Amino acid sequence: MSDTTSRSGVSPGAPRPEHTDAPVPAGTASPPSEPVRRRARAAPGIRTHLPSSPWLFLAPGLLIVGGFSLYPFLSTVVNSFTDARTLTEGQFVGGTNYQELVHDAMFWTGLRNSLLYVLGVVPPLVILPLLLAILVQRHLPGIAFFRAAFYTPVVASVVVVGLIWVWLLDDRGLINALLEAVGVGTVGFLSDPWLLLLSAMAVTVWKGLGYYMIIYLAALANVPRELHEACAVDGAGAVRRFLTVTVPAVRSTMVLVAALSSVSAFKVFSEVYLMAGPTGGPGGEDTTLVMLVQQVGTGLSGRVGYASALSVVVFVITLGLMLLVLRANRKKEDEA
Amino acid sequence: MRMSRRAATATAALVTSLLTLTACGAADGSGGADSASGKVEGEVTFQTWNLRAHFKDYFEGIIADFEEKHPDAKIKWVDQPAEGYPEKLSSDAAGGTLPDVVNASPDLVYPLAKAGMALDLEKAAGKYREEYLDEAWQSNQMPGMPGVYAFPWYLNTGPMFYNKHLFRKAGLDPEKPPTTYDQLFKDAVSMARKSDRKIAMLASTPSIEDFGRYGVRLMNARGTEFTFNEPKGVELLRHYKELYAAGALDSQALTAKAESSGRKFQQQSVAMNPGSALDLETFKKEAPSLYKNIGITDTVNNTGRANMYVQGLMVNAQSNVKPAAVAFAHFVTNKKNQMAFAKQVTIFPSTKGSLDDPYFTEEDGTDATRVRVASAKSLKNAVNYTPVLLSDQMKTVLRNAVAKALQGEQSPKAALDGAVAECNRLLKTG
């Protein structure tokens, strides 16, 4: 970093330029007036041109990101090329873990379930919270209660939420008791592999609604009311106004929600683990990729090398998903 | 490629969060010297597995006695919750913070011994060998490795609880619970039929122990290959498939955990469930109507030998206070202290002669005593069916194969063949 005082073109001791009221040609910056320049000078005794100053400010953050994000990430990549176990250093094995992964049926099951989770969870998490936000946006008496109520599942622990839903959806739980009462019979929400996955998706959506609703509320606050009024004057109904005013105004927020929810959906663990059990449902049919990482990489005999290879694949796919969403958004922007 | 500022910010935030995917380090598994001779001094860290809540006074008493006997030694006692104990051990072992004396079962000791983190007690404490039951001492021998890697501590064998009321409802004699597998299967199907599939006899699918109890050979003699896909194993799985189809296994058995099976039994939707004497107290408090109808019987087996759960005390091979650690581990597991522990809770000492004590041979008419005496009797020739080489990942492989067979996705033979092949592959990579 260079010294700002020397760049101003005024060296110490040089005659000061006279003050003039002559108009300044457009496009040229006027030199700072004397009082301003004097204020900008450093207080006596403080050095303003320490080259490492910015790095010192950045250091705490860099240390945390480097130590807790970058280093583990890089060591995961390195480990993925070894046969490391929990208690033993690994030997370099090249791409063996990645080759094994391609032939591992559980990997493909996990990939299928994680992708299905994205497809099942993202659309409702983009649309429903927006509708909910529009609903609670109005200033009605007692609306704060509803906003808080919708947000409650977000702050609840995922373990508590998972257990409550397990009790509700159990073959002998409340929901099945009601279905029995109306003559539908028992539905195997937690014993049928597909219904289990759908149940876990439903819990993820239910838990995420409030979180994304808050994001949409912030976005909706920035939509000019005049647009709605002008639309209404033109005779547009509520649905028309929603499609022509609200959606375009919050489109970038929708993209953000889609990106955030697709990443978290692809990395889902807790809901499936709690509802489908540690094996990932009957015969492991509901295992997701992150569950598989946990299954093979933890415990005293954990295959850290193989689990790292799985993690790297999860990272690459997640990054790809996110870029896909953002790219789709840019295309829309360009078209607009 | 232009990107809006918001999108760029979102990308940066997301990439940062993505970077926090799993990463684990591996520890260097070089074993320490097997020398435990020397002065008993220094601070010994002693870790138990979910025992502080109920037995604080007992352990504090033992620690005080030991410190009085060895004034230069100090014991620092830590206790870990039941959940996630293997994960806690692995993070301690990988991070070099493994306590000096660790409470562990043989299957947890094996990977630590293999990594050189468990002290060979044949060398370091062979003089104490004669104090313990032979089977118990040998339970901590590790396949392919010379030596013994933990002091045997308390033993247990779970009785089978059954619900007399549900037996009566199904037209079965509540005083004659099944004693053979054939009878168990027959009674289970009959109960499911009578109750229109509302009451299941069992809550979970067969585990490796069940295969062992059924008389299936789990591994070859040298411990180099799994063999549970032999015809007897296939036969057991075929029976379970019939039970599942008939509704004699709980509909959620394929994803059952010990906790959920216990809950089903308490809700009285399942008629039989394995347990321990501790459960009796739980039933009394949480399910009084079940407690009134509780029946206790031995777990059925075709081998004439019950399953034995073994707990041990492993000494960290890299401990800086090995003499004190070995002395303390032996002190906790000696005859006097094990007997005192057995009087606190229904567990069984692994020391020679302890099971002949009248406490384990004479009944006084109460349920608790009946369980104690029956269990002690069955422990005399019990075996630990779970192979120490069966890792958690292998257990999952077996469970998934069983589920596939029960759902009809694969034949029992194909499912077990696949599971054995996968377990053997994992065994070789280990």
Side-chain angles (χ1 to χ4, degrees):
Chain A
M1 301 289 279
S2 53
D3 188 346
T4 46
T5 42
S6 60
R7 283 179 68 183
S8 70
V10 182
S11 51
R16 292 177 191 144
E18 281 185 32
H19 180 69
T20 170
D21 287 337
V24 180
T28 54
S30 58
S33 61
E34 175 56 21
V36 172
R37 282 212 343 264
R38 189 168 295 172
R39 267 203 310 274
R41 259 188 223 135
I46 293 186
R47 293 179 62 192
T48 57
H49 46 274
L50 192 67
S52 55
S53 306
W55 293 105
L56 285 176
F57 281 104
L58 286 172
L62 283 177
L63 279 174
I64 291 169
V65 172
F68 292 100
S69 293
L70 280 172
Y71 170 72
F73 173 69
L74 292 174
S75 93
T76 300
V77 175
V78 171
N79 272 332
S80 74
F81 294 101
T82 69
D83 60 357
R85 293 207 157 231
T86 311
L87 303 178
T88 49
E89 286 281 8
Q91 300 295 317
F92 179 77
V93 291
T96 309
N97 288 327
Y98 292 93
Q99 281 168 4
E100 184 183 339
L101 189 142
V102 172
H103 297 108
D104 184 353
M106 281 311 289
F107 166 74
W108 294 108
T109 303
L111 182 63
R112 179 199 69 193
N113 291 332
S114 294
L115 288 173
L116 281 175
Y117 219 86
V118 172
L119 292 173
V121 157
V122 173
L125 276 180
V126 171
I127 296 158
L128 294 179
L130 175 58
L131 301 177
L132 212 55
I134 290 167
L135 206 65
V136 299
Q137 193 194 8
R138 298 161 189 276
H139 295 284
L140 299 170
I143 201 71
F145 166 78
F146 288 98
R147 286 182 182 185
F150 291 140
Y151 196 72
T152 305
V154 181
V155 290
S157 149
V158 70
V159 176
V160 173
V161 165
L163 288 175
I164 288 171
W165 279 97
V166 162
W167 291 335
L168 284 171
L169 295 168
D170 191 279
D171 283 6
R172 289 165 189 276
L174 182 69
I175 291 172
N176 267 314
L178 292 172
L179 292 173
E180 286 267 342
V182 297
V184 176
T186 305
V187 178
F189 294 111
L190 301 181
S191 46
D192 178 85
W194 290 111
L195 282 176
L196 233 168
L197 202 64
L198 284 171
S199 304
M201 286 178 192
V203 172
T204 301
V205 170
W206 176 80
K207 196 175 182 328
L209 280 179
Y211 178 75
Y212 296 115
M213 178 191 81
I214 295 288
I215 294 177
Y216 278 128
L217 273 174
L220 287 171
N222 295 328
V223 181
R225 191 176 296 189
E226 296 79 12
L227 286 178
H228 279 286
E229 286 164 356
C231 237
V233 168
D234 286 346
V239 174
R240 188 68 196 249
R241 283 207 310 274
F242 171 74
L243 293 172
T244 54
V245 176
T246 309
V247 170
V250 298
R251 204 165 51 77
S252 55
T253 308
M254 288 169 88
V255 171
L256 177 75
V257 168
L260 286 172
S261 59
S262 59
V263 167
S264 59
F266 191 76
K267 294 199 302 172
V268 71
F269 173 81
S270 309
E271 292 91 324
V272 182
Y273 183 85
L274 288 163
M275 296 176 76
T279 56
E285 281 299 304
D286 297 306
T287 306
T288 63
L289 275 183
V290 177
M291 271 184 86
L292 193 60
V293 171
Q294 185 266 345
Q295 271 176 21
V296 302
T298 56
L300 287 160
S301 307
R303 302 176 64 210
V304 174
Y306 187 59
S308 299
L310 281 166
S311 300
V312 170
V313 170
V314 172
F315 169 76
V316 169
I317 296 173
T318 316
L319 193 65
L321 264 175
M322 200 181 57
L323 292 174
L324 209 71
V325 174
L326 295 174
R327 196 185 174 134
N329 179 45
R330 262 200 312 286
K331 260 198 178 146
K332 277 258 190 251
E333 274 179 0
D334 293 345
E335 284 166 13
Chain B
M1 194 167 94
R2 287 184 63 241
M3 202 187 260
S4 71
R5 207 167 135 181
R6 186 177 288 191
T9 310
T11 309
L14 290 170
V15 168
T16 307
S17 68
L18 282 174
L19 289 177
T20 54
L21 277 168
T22 329
C24 309
D28 172 29
S30 52
D34 281 356
S35 166
S37 54
K39 196 165 183 293
V40 176
E41 62 185 357
E43 186 178 80
V44 175
T45 313
F46 166 51
Q47 179 171 288
T48 50
W49 186 356
N50 197 32
L51 294 173
R52 191 190 290 268
H54 295 290
F55 312 109
K56 191 165 176 273
D57 294 347
Y58 167 78
F59 283 104
E60 283 176 348
I62 281 190
I63 289 165
D65 290 350
F66 184 79
E67 287 176 347
E68 194 182 334
K69 204 171 156 191
H70 302 280
D72 295 333
K74 183 133 190 59
I75 306 298
K76 183 184 165 198
W77 176 33
V78 290
D79 187 65
Q80 299 296 342
E83 280 293 306
Y85 191 69
E87 284 72 21
K88 171 69 183 153
L89 279 185
S90 62
S91 61
D92 277 346
T97 53
L98 197 66
D100 301 296
V101 177
V102 181
N103 172 191
S105 50
D107 56 316
L108 296 181
V109 172
Y110 173 69
L112 291 164
K114 211 169 156 233
M117 293 181 183
L119 190 67
D120 178 0
L121 299 176
E122 286 276 20
K123 286 183 189 164
K127 60 183 175 186
Y128 302 126
R129 179 190 179 136
E130 290 312 308
E131 295 178 23
Y132 303 93
L133 294 168
D134 289 343
E135 293 83 357
W137 182 262
Q138 285 157 13
S139 66
N140 282 298
Q141 284 176 339
M142 301 298 150
M145 297 169 71
V148 160
Y149 293 88
F151 280 105
W153 194 12
Y154 58 92
L155 311 173
N156 214 334
T157 180
M160 201 76 174
F161 290 112
Y162 68 100
N163 187 323
K164 288 180 177 175
H165 169 64
L166 295 181
F167 266 59
R168 228 174 273 123
K169 254 174 82 175
L172 301 170
D173 185 347
E175 299 312 318
K176 287 186 182 162
T179 51
T180 65
Y181 270 102
D182 286 343
Q183 200 189 333
L184 172 69
F185 297 146
K186 201 163 87 354
D187 288 355
V189 171
S190 132
M191 182 176 276
R193 275 208 198 105
K194 278 261 174 40
S195 66
D196 194 23
R197 302 171 69 99
K198 289 266 186 304
I199 309 293
M201 181 68 92
L202 299 166
S204 50
T205 55
S207 65
I208 196 76
E209 282 165 34
D210 293 295
F211 279 82
R213 271 196 291 256
Y214 194 71
V216 181
R217 205 170 49 108
L218 305 177
M219 289 193 92
N220 65 8
R222 285 179 303 133
T224 53
E225 275 191 340
F226 288 97
T227 54
F228 53 80
N229 58 336
E230 64 177 25
K232 215 160 177 55
V234 176
E235 182 186 298
L236 175 71
L237 204 44
R238 217 173 270 131
H239 280 300
Y240 264 92
K241 191 180 171 181
E242 285 160 14
L243 294 188
Y244 188 64
L249 264 191
D250 183 74
S251 56
Q252 285 165 275
L254 303 188
T255 53
K257 299 186 286 263
E259 172 272 325
S260 61
S261 304
R263 191 159 37 87
K264 298 259 178 194
F265 184 67
Q266 280 196 36
Q267 289 168 344
Q268 306 202 49
S269 61
V270 164
M272 277 189 111
N273 202 48
S276 73
L278 276 177
D279 294 326
L280 273 177
E281 282 305 307
T282 313
F283 299 151
K284 207 173 190 169
K285 261 196 299 216
E286 295 176 10
S289 62
L290 167 69
Y291 184 73
K292 274 193 303 214
N293 286 298
I294 204 82
I296 303 164
T297 181
D298 285 337
T299 310
V300 294
N301 65 63
N302 287 344
T303 58
R305 305 184 84 180
N307 184 54
M308 173 168 72
Y309 302 96
V310 188
Q311 284 294 338
L313 286 186
M314 187 200 93
V315 176
N316 181 354
Q318 287 148 2
S319 164
N320 295 323
V321 286
K322 265 193 218 100
V326 168
F328 182 69
H330 171 251
F331 186 76
V332 174
T333 59
N334 71 20
K335 193 170 179 173
K336 174 173 161 278
N337 286 326
Q338 283 210 52
M339 198 66 204
F341 194 23
K343 293 199 172 167
Q344 299 252 334
V345 59
T346 310
I347 50 99
F348 303 89
S350 57
T351 40
K352 272 185 186 156
S354 297
L355 293 177
D356 300 325
D357 189 284
Y359 185 72
F360 296 110
T361 55
E362 291 171 13
E363 286 189 34
D364 63 3
T366 61
D367 276 345
T369 316
R370 211 150 47 81
V371 176
R372 185 169 69 228
V373 172
S375 299
K377 199 170 143 204
S378 67
L379 268 173
K380 289 265 166 77
N381 70 344
V383 283
N384 181 8
Y385 283 111
T386 307
V388 293
L389 292 167
L390 194 82
S391 67
D392 285 347
Q393 206 187 334
M394 294 173 195
K395 284 176 189 165
T396 302
V397 167
L398 173 62
R399 235 190 117 146
N400 288 346
V402 166
K404 283 191 166 83
L406 264 51
Q407 288 175 304
E409 283 179 39
Q410 283 184 309
S411 71
K413 178 153 179 30
L416 286 183
D417 284 348
V420 161
E422 180 61 7
C423 288
N424 285 338
R425 189 184 70 82
L426 290 170
L427 194 63
K428 285 191 176 72
T429 59

